[in-house]
Amino acid sequence: MADVNDAIEFMQLSVEADSDNRALALIDLKFRYGEQWPQYAIASRGLDRPQLTINEMDSYIRQVTNSQRQQRPRIKIHPVNDYADVKVAKVLSGLMRHFEVNSDADNAYDTAFDFAATMGIGYWSVSHDYISGDSFDQDILINTEDNPFAIYFDPSSTLPDGSDAEKALKTAMMKREHFKKEYPGAQGSSFNETATGDSDADWETKNEIRLAEYYFVERQKAKLILMSDGTPLWENEVPPFSVLEQAGVSVIGERDSFKRKVMWRKQTAYDILDERELPWNWIPIVPVYWTRVKIENKILRQGMVRPGMDSQRMINFWQTSITESIALAPKAKWLMAEGQDEGHENEFKNANLSANPVLRYKTTDINGNQAPAPQRMQPEPPPSGSVEAAFLANQNLQRVMGIFDPNMQEGPAKSGKAVQAERNQSENSNFHGYDNLTRSLKHTARIILSGIPKILDVATTRRIIGEDGTPELVQLNTPDQGTDAQAIGKVLNDVRVGKYDVVMDTGPGYDSKRVQGVDSMMQLMNSPIGQKVSNVGDDLIVRHMDFPGADVLADRLAAANPFSQIDEKSEIPPQVQMQIKQLQAQLQQAQQQLQQAGEVLKSRSDLKQMEETAETQREHMRLTVKAHDIETRDAQIQRDVTMETQTRAHDAALGYKKAMDVEELKAHVALLIAKMDDNAEKAEKGDESRDSRIYERTHPSFPGYRIRND
């Protein structure tokens, strides 16, 4: 049964084991930020003497911590057994970067490293929580611990990353009224014991309640079973025999072991408010050490401050002495004969304060004797010993801190590379702190890896972030919906199986490497193989450049470059994909050559076809002309026949009319003759009738015709 006294007893044990380190750490922290004069010196100098603080130590520490910010260690995941997958390892690396970005882990790392550099130790913690109030999806968080004195870590831990810790305690304060609302009916009281750095008014007031989060490891005896497929299972996790038989798996070994559980409990000194098992395999509080050494069976921790305290105090003392000596030195005085300033006393008295360009004096003394012009007497310079001591104190501080400014060192001018090499040498003297940070980050990644199969245990879609900061959505633990028969039963990006380990990538960050890469690429472009490099990687060269539109231009170049279509997420290795792309490029080139040859053949065929078409057209024109001539001739013949027929018909009509006219004329003639005969008879008879007169009058052809006017 859970007992609140476990946490209280552990806290007392931690306080007893770590009290000296806590006391010294608090002094270190205060010293870095200005409390650099010891109490005996303050008391001996009194209130009327200056006590200057020239805090050079803080700037030296910031050189180290800011250098760490420019070269952050990066987490990479590698598979280590048959059930792990390289592709899933890349997804896990992207998930790690997502967790870091989502929880602002950079702040947690920087805060812990800054505390470690100052007083020897800093912390961050790992937790998990729901993404939002209306979601069942959870994310893993890396939390900033901005008060290392509120954390009580296992004093039995000896490893530099704290991975062997079995217990840890984290305390916090809560307003009493808030505590009563959140935990109604619970008793509240602060712990009976507090440690140095954790006992000021901000942590212990009548208006606040101290809460403690207690982490501890429980070990239970259990039997570990080894299956024939290499899978280790606890005895209570082994499926029934029928299931194993159906799957073709059997038990091949077993051994006694301990099942490790990490527990978490929130409590006061009297009540346990909450308790549960955590999904991690280690205590999720990660320490970052600077210098940690065991002396006489006691662990001593320190940062950069403690070794440099004396040098910094010397700087403060000698700078104060120089300032004090100058401030107390007599003002510059005038040397003149008595009576030379008569009438001009105020002018000489205020000469140091006035901007008057004229200073008048008398050329004779009080007795009327000729006297030289007044002379200014220079004051005593600052003591050279104090100036030299202040300079030496500054040099000592640099040596103790292990940080040198190459620009301040005497000697001939140095090249930029030489200056950078000396700066790198200064950083190497404090590299152990950076290396300890890397170890702690590696342990953090292992903690997160141990919890991913339990937290991300269902099919889901999550964001991952690439090394260059590019985000992407991927499916986790999702059955493959492909039509390929080999995909049946396969799960995409299954993070619940397989064993993975962590490898840390140190050195310059992605942006720094990108800038350095551009310089190297441009040098390579000017080499004899520059053209070959440009043919296969022109898009990569442009993509690494830092100017507006570089990505757009790189995308356009990549669209025309078959080698840029390599899919890093494909199960086909990149080398094989590259060979396939090369073969495809060769095949495409061959197809283009065939197409060009076909176009040549086609042009020749088209020319022949054009010749045949022209000949056909000429023959068609010839036949058309011939047919037109025949048609024209036939039309002419038809016209001639028609005209001839019409002419004949016209002639026949004219002949007929003529014949009719002749016949009519003959009839008339006959009639005339008959009448003439009749008239002749009548004439003979002497009886001219009226008809004969009319006839004679109307027919000129009648013999004896004459015009008459009757």
Side-chain angles (χ1 to χ4, degrees), residues 157-433:
S157 173
T158 59
L159 295 180
D161 57 3
S163 57
D164 58 342
E166 298 284 326
K167 297 178 181 180
L169 187 71
K170 182 170 67 173
T171 65
M173 301 300 295
M174 177 180 283
K175 296 289 185 181
R176 290 184 181 273
E177 56 269 22
H178 296 165
F179 176 82
K180 292 178 180 179
K181 290 180 181 179
E182 187 169 352
Y183 304 103
Q187 300 183 49
S189 176
S190 48
F191 285 113
N192 297 327
E193 295 291 337
T194 57
T196 302
D198 192 25
S199 60
D200 56 7
D202 292 336
W203 287 89
E204 189 70 25
T205 67
K206 63 179 181 180
N207 297 323
E208 292 180 326
I209 291 293
R210 181 179 299 276
L211 296 179
E213 294 183 61
Y214 181 44
Y215 301 85
F216 58 98
V217 175
E218 284 187 352
R219 299 177 183 272
Q220 297 178 349
K221 287 186 177 181
K223 186 167 292 186
L224 188 64
I225 307 298
L226 179 63
M227 311 307 295
S228 58
D229 61 352
T231 305
L233 297 174
W234 297 109
E235 187 176 20
N236 60 346
E237 298 175 348
V238 177
F241 178 77
S242 58
V243 176
L244 294 176
E245 186 178 14
Q246 184 177 1
V249 180
S250 60
V251 177
I252 62 174
E254 63 179 45
R255 70 178 181 87
D256 293 331
S257 182
F258 290 90
K259 193 173 183 180
R260 176 187 175 102
K261 294 192 303 181
V262 177
M263 303 298 296
W264 171 85
R265 183 187 301 163
K266 179 179 282 190
Q267 67 176 72
T268 65
Y270 298 96
D271 284 334
I272 295 177
L273 306 175
D274 193 7
E275 185 177 15
R276 62 175 178 268
E277 180 182 356
L278 297 179
W280 326 113
N281 291 345
W282 293 273
I283 298 293
I285 295 180
V286 182
V288 180
Y289 299 112
W290 193 262
T291 298
R292 188 170 182 267
V293 62
K294 195 170 187 178
I295 301 176
E296 295 182 349
N297 292 325
K298 283 191 175 184
I299 298 296
L300 174 65
R301 295 191 305 265
Q302 69 176 20
M304 299 176 64
V305 172
R306 205 171 306 161
M309 281 184 174
D310 290 341
S311 298
Q312 178 62 58
R313 285 172 176 150
M314 288 175 63
I315 292 174
N316 294 338
F317 176 80
W318 289 118
Q319 291 288 356
T320 300
S321 297
I322 294 172
T323 304
E324 189 176 18
S325 64
I326 295 175
L328 297 178
K331 302 294 182 183
K333 299 179 180 180
W334 291 99
L335 181 64
M336 66 179 69
E338 185 179 3
Q340 278 191 296
D341 63 342
E342 184 178 355
H344 306 291
E345 293 86 351
N346 290 333
E347 294 179 15
F348 281 94
K349 182 178 181 180
N350 298 322
N352 292 332
L353 305 176
S354 174
N356 189 353
V358 178
L359 191 62
R360 293 169 294 181
Y361 67 96
K362 289 184 176 183
T363 59
T364 59
D365 58 14
I366 192 172
N367 297 321
N369 298 324
Q370 191 73 22
Q375 296 180 1
R376 191 74 175 264
M377 298 181 62
Q378 296 299 326
E380 289 289 334
S384 59
S386 298
V387 175
E388 183 67 21
F391 177 77
L392 291 176
N394 183 276
Q395 294 294 315
N396 290 335
L397 181 62
Q398 291 187 24
R399 294 188 185 95
V400 171
M401 303 290 285
I403 301 175
F404 302 93
D405 186 357
N407 296 323
M408 297 298 294
Q409 295 181 15
E410 298 180 356
K414 301 177 182 178
S415 65
K417 289 186 177 180
V419 171
Q420 184 62 39
E422 291 184 0
R423 288 178 178 171
N424 293 338
Q425 185 177 4
S426 297
E427 292 178 359
N428 289 338
S429 63
N430 293 293
F431 187 77
H432 61 286

Side-chain angles (χ1 to χ4, degrees), residues 77-125:
I77 309 301
H78 286 187
V80 295
N81 69 358
D82 294 340
Y83 298 95
D85 184 79
V86 175
K87 183 179 177 182
V88 177
K90 292 183 178 180
V91 172
L92 289 171
S93 298
L95 279 173
M96 289 288 180
R97 287 186 284 270
H98 162 73
F99 296 147
E100 289 180 323
V101 171
N102 192 47
S103 56
D104 195 16
D106 287 349
N107 183 47
Y109 302 154
D110 296 342
T111 302
F113 188 77
D114 193 82
F115 277 121
T118 302
M119 60 186 196
I121 191 170
Y123 299 95
W124 64 72
S125 62

Side-chain angles (χ1 to χ4, degrees), residues 60 130 247 455 494 589:
Y60 287 127
Y130 292 102
I455 296 173
D494 193 347
Q589 184 178 4

